[in-house]
Structures are given as C-alpha cells and as structure tokens.
Amino acid sequence: MITKNANITAIYGGRGQGKSTCAKNLTRDTKRLIVFDVMEEYDRENCTVFGRLTPDTVRQFLQHIKKHYHRGYRVAVQPMDNVGDLSDLYNDKVKALDCTSELQKLVKLVFNIQQPYKDSNNTDQVTLLIEEMSVSVPNNNGNMVRSIVNACNIGRHYGINIVGVSQRPAQVHTDFQGQAEYNYYFRLGSDADYKKVRSVIGAEVDKLKQLPIHHYICYDGMELTQGVNALK
C-alpha cells in the first residue's frame, strides 16, 4: 500500500507476469491518481481518460482536477495515437521520444497541481503511475529524461508518490531505479534484465526465475519478502 509519506515504487516483470495487476492493487484505494497510460488499459479501471496533452486537453484536464480535487479523482492520460504493440515503441525512436515528451508535460502539470502541498500546510498527496517506463524514462541522458528523473527525485516535497512499471529493468533510467524505496520483481523475460536485478538482490534472483505468474519478490532496501497478487 502507498504510505503516508510520499515515496517511489518500482514494479518490474515480463509480459503477462502480473506487474500491472500489482500496480492496480497498490493504487486501488488511492484518493488522487494520475496514470500515464501508454497502452490504454486504465479506461477499464474507473479512470476519466484524456488523450495527448494538447492545449485544449491540458485545459480540460486541469478543470477536471480542480472540480474533483477535494473529493478525489482518478484520471488516465493516454498520450499515444495508434500505439499498436509495445514493440512499436521500442523499435520506433520517433514514437519513443514522443512518449517521453508527453510524460515530461504531464510531470510538469502534476507539480503545478501539487504546488500548494509544498507552499502551505496542505497535506493532499497524489500518486503518479507511469506505465512502460523503459520507453518513457529510458536509460539515457537526454534532456527530457533527465528532467523527469530530477522531478522524481524531489517529488516527495510536493506530496507526489510515484509508481513506475516496466517489463525491462535493464532499460529504465538507473537514477530512477536508485531512488525507489520499494521494488517489486516478477519473473522477467531476458538475461540482461536478470543481470540488472542480480545487482540489487544478489543470488535471490535465482528464486525469481522460478516464480509462478502473479508471484513476486519485494525489496525495500533492507529486506526481501515474497508475495502474490490479490486477484479479483
């Protein structure tokens, strides 16, 4: 569960292993949720959906947040047009860059929304859930990626919880990974990803390779625990 202190949670797992179910479970009771919904999954999760962050969409988005701020809101931003399969994003550098650009816009909006938290006694936190981080926050030092990672680093001062989800931990920006207080690992899909995770949890990665679907290992920086997704 998301705690009272704003934090960063990372969830990694191969396709179909249960990482998105884990993310939805962790955020199910979140009062204020904003999802960067690259693969357009959260319109089925009681979220109000917005498209690409054009000026008109930004205006509608902010109006919705303002109207529902005290009662709470659950919104999903679906930034890509005709995204197709996730491999399209991995293989198309233009689309991948566009994805990062849209996330950068969203991060700026979230910080503006949360400015009262930093400037006053406001205690209303928000959770930003970022799907497919290996595409939107890739492991490179581009200016857009750097600005997103830096924002994640100071988000706790604005009451911003971050949940990042990815199939490919080896391709997510290393600085983001280093900031995560909670790491959920489901069975992965490549040797490169297991190698990356081994650098964090050591020999326990061998147990990770044997886990059934929806089972995970969680590392909080001190302890390793095993768990399983709660399924409806």
Side-chain angles (χ1 to χ4, degrees):
M1 295 179 63
I2 301 301
T3 65
K4 65 179 181 179
N5 297 314
N7 57 58
I8 296 176
T9 299
I11 305 170
Y12 304 110
R15 184 174 182 178
Q17 294 301 312
K19 62 187 181 301
S20 289
T21 299
C22 180
K24 292 168 185 176
N25 286 344
L26 289 174
T27 59
R28 181 157 289 129
D29 297 326
T30 300
K31 186 175 181 180
R32 298 174 185 83
L33 176 67
I34 299 174
V35 184
F36 188 68
D37 185 18
V38 177
M39 299 307 295
E40 301 181 354
E41 298 178 344
Y42 280 79
D43 50 349
R44 301 185 295 274
E45 298 296 324
N46 196 30
C47 287
T48 301
V49 175
F50 296 87
R52 292 178 63 85
L53 292 171
T54 64
D56 282 345
T57 302
V58 168
R59 176 179 52 80
Q60 295 166 11
F61 175 85
L62 292 176
Q63 286 177 344
H64 180 86
I65 297 296
K66 182 178 180 180
K67 179 179 179 181
H68 298 280
Y69 187 84
H70 293 292
R71 285 185 296 171
Y73 54 81
R74 298 176 66 85
V75 300
V77 173
Q78 298 178 346
M80 310 303 294
D81 296 325
N82 301 316
V83 64
D85 190 81
L86 182 60
S87 61
D88 291 346
L89 286 177
Y90 282 120
N91 298 324
D92 190 325
K93 292 183 179 180
V94 174
K95 283 186 177 181
L97 189 62
D98 191 29
C99 184
T100 301
S101 176
E102 289 293 297
L103 178 57
Q104 184 187 40
K105 293 177 189 177
L106 180 59
V107 167
K108 289 179 179 178
L109 289 174
V110 175
F111 271 78
N112 287 336
I113 291 166
Q114 289 298 112
Q115 189 68 44
Y117 183 98
K118 182 176 184 296
D119 292 344
S120 67
N121 292 325
N122 183 300
T123 59
D124 297 329
Q125 295 189 5
V126 65
T127 295
L128 173 61
L129 171 54
I130 306 171
E131 286 277 357
E132 309 303 343
M133 287 198 71
S134 53
V135 176
S136 55
V137 193
N139 193 22
N140 65 54
N141 286 315
N143 290 335
M144 285 190 295
V145 175
R146 173 55 57 187
S147 69
I148 293 169
V149 171
N150 289 343
C152 291
N153 189 38
I154 64 172
R156 69 191 68 224
H157 301 297
Y158 290 76
I160 302 171
N161 297 283
I162 298 172
V163 178
V165 184
S166 177
Q167 292 184 22
R168 301 296 315 278
Q171 295 185 2
V172 175
H173 200 285
T174 54
D175 285 358
F176 175 85
Q177 294 187 53
Q179 294 169 20
E181 288 97 342
Y182 301 95
N183 295 275
Y184 290 80
Y185 299 108
F186 292 80
R187 198 167 63 202
L188 300 164
S190 78
D191 290 340
D193 292 316
Y194 281 117
K195 181 178 179 181
K196 179 64 180 179
V197 175
R198 183 180 292 275
S199 70
V200 181
I201 66 173
E204 293 293 316
V205 76
D206 296 325
K207 296 180 181 178
L208 182 62
K209 295 178 180 180
Q210 307 302 320
L211 291 182
I213 293 173
H214 288 296
H215 289 246
Y216 59 79
I217 293 175
C218 180
Y219 179 56
D220 65 1
M222 296 181 65
E223 295 183 316
L224 289 163
T225 57
Q226 292 193 33
V228 59
N229 283 335
L231 303 176
K232 292 182 179 179

CSV table of all heavy atoms in Angstrom, one decimal, residues 180-183 218-225:
chain,number,residue,atom,x,y,z
A,180,ALA,N,14.1,4.4,-5.9
A,180,ALA,CA,12.9,3.7,-5.5
A,180,ALA,C,13.1,3.0,-4.1
A,180,ALA,O,14.0,2.3,-3.9
A,180,ALA,CB,12.6,2.6,-6.5
A,181,GLU,N,12.1,3.3,-3.2
A,181,GLU,CA,12.1,2.7,-1.9
A,181,GLU,C,11.6,1.3,-1.9
A,181,GLU,O,12.0,0.5,-1.1
A,181,GLU,CB,11.3,3.5,-0.9
A,181,GLU,CG,11.9,4.9,-0.5
A,181,GLU,CD,11.4,6.0,-1.3
A,181,GLU,OE1,10.8,5.8,-2.4
A,181,GLU,OE2,11.6,7.2,-0.9
A,182,TYR,N,10.7,1.0,-2.8
A,182,TYR,CA,10.1,-0.3,-2.9
A,182,TYR,C,10.2,-0.8,-4.3
A,182,TYR,O,9.9,-0.1,-5.2
A,182,TYR,CB,8.6,-0.3,-2.5
A,182,TYR,CG,8.4,0.3,-1.1
A,182,TYR,CD1,8.1,1.6,-0.9
A,182,TYR,CD2,8.5,-0.6,0.0
A,182,TYR,CE1,7.9,2.1,0.4
A,182,TYR,CE2,8.3,-0.1,1.3
A,182,TYR,CZ,8.0,1.2,1.5
A,182,TYR,OH,7.8,1.7,2.8
A,183,ASN,N,10.7,-2.1,-4.4
A,183,ASN,CA,10.9,-2.7,-5.7
A,183,ASN,C,10.2,-4.0,-5.7
A,183,ASN,O,10.5,-4.9,-4.9
A,183,ASN,CB,12.4,-2.9,-6.0
A,183,ASN,CG,13.2,-1.6,-6.1
A,183,ASN,OD1,13.2,-1.0,-7.2
A,183,ASN,ND2,13.8,-1.1,-5.0
A,218,CYS,N,9.7,-8.7,-3.2
A,218,CYS,CA,9.7,-7.3,-2.9
A,218,CYS,C,11.0,-6.9,-2.1
A,218,CYS,O,11.3,-7.6,-1.1
A,218,CYS,CB,8.5,-6.9,-2.2
A,218,CYS,SG,8.4,-5.1,-1.8
A,219,TYR,N,11.6,-5.9,-2.5
A,219,TYR,CA,12.8,-5.4,-1.8
A,219,TYR,C,12.6,-4.0,-1.4
A,219,TYR,O,12.4,-3.1,-2.2
A,219,TYR,CB,14.1,-5.6,-2.7
A,219,TYR,CG,15.4,-5.1,-2.1
A,219,TYR,CD1,15.8,-5.6,-0.9
A,219,TYR,CD2,16.1,-4.1,-2.7
A,219,TYR,CE1,17.0,-5.2,-0.3
A,219,TYR,CE2,17.3,-3.7,-2.1
A,219,TYR,CZ,17.7,-4.2,-0.9
A,219,TYR,OH,18.9,-3.8,-0.4
A,220,ASP,N,12.8,-3.7,-0.1
A,220,ASP,CA,12.5,-2.4,0.4
A,220,ASP,C,13.8,-1.7,0.8
A,220,ASP,O,13.8,-0.7,1.5
A,220,ASP,CB,11.6,-2.4,1.6
A,220,ASP,CG,12.1,-3.1,2.8
A,220,ASP,OD1,13.3,-3.6,2.7
A,220,ASP,OD2,11.4,-3.2,3.8
A,221,GLY,N,14.9,-2.1,0.3
A,221,GLY,CA,16.2,-1.6,0.6
A,221,GLY,C,16.9,-2.2,1.8
A,221,GLY,O,18.1,-2.1,2.0
A,222,MET,N,16.1,-3.0,2.6
A,222,MET,CA,16.7,-3.7,3.7
A,222,MET,C,16.3,-5.2,3.7
A,222,MET,O,17.1,-6.1,3.9
A,222,MET,CB,16.2,-3.1,5.0
A,222,MET,CG,16.6,-1.7,5.2
A,222,MET,SD,16.1,-1.0,6.8
A,222,MET,CE,16.9,-2.0,8.0
A,223,GLU,N,15.0,-5.5,3.4
A,223,GLU,CA,14.6,-6.9,3.5
A,223,GLU,C,14.0,-7.3,2.2
A,223,GLU,O,13.4,-6.5,1.4
A,223,GLU,CB,13.5,-7.0,4.6
A,223,GLU,CG,14.0,-6.8,6.0
A,223,GLU,CD,12.9,-7.0,7.0
A,223,GLU,OE1,11.8,-6.5,6.8
A,223,GLU,OE2,13.2,-7.7,8.0
A,224,LEU,N,14.1,-8.6,1.9
A,224,LEU,CA,13.4,-9.3,0.8
A,224,LEU,C,12.2,-10.1,1.3
A,224,LEU,O,12.4,-10.9,2.2
A,224,LEU,CB,14.4,-10.2,0.0
A,224,LEU,CG,15.5,-9.5,-0.7
A,224,LEU,CD1,16.6,-10.5,-1.1
A,224,LEU,CD2,15.0,-8.9,-2.0
A,225,THR,N,11.1,-9.9,0.7
A,225,THR,CA,9.9,-10.7,1.0
A,225,THR,C,9.3,-11.2,-0.3
A,225,THR,O,9.4,-10.6,-1.3
A,225,THR,CB,8.9,-9.9,1.8
A,225,THR,OG1,8.5,-8.7,1.1
A,225,THR,CG2,9.5,-9.5,3.2
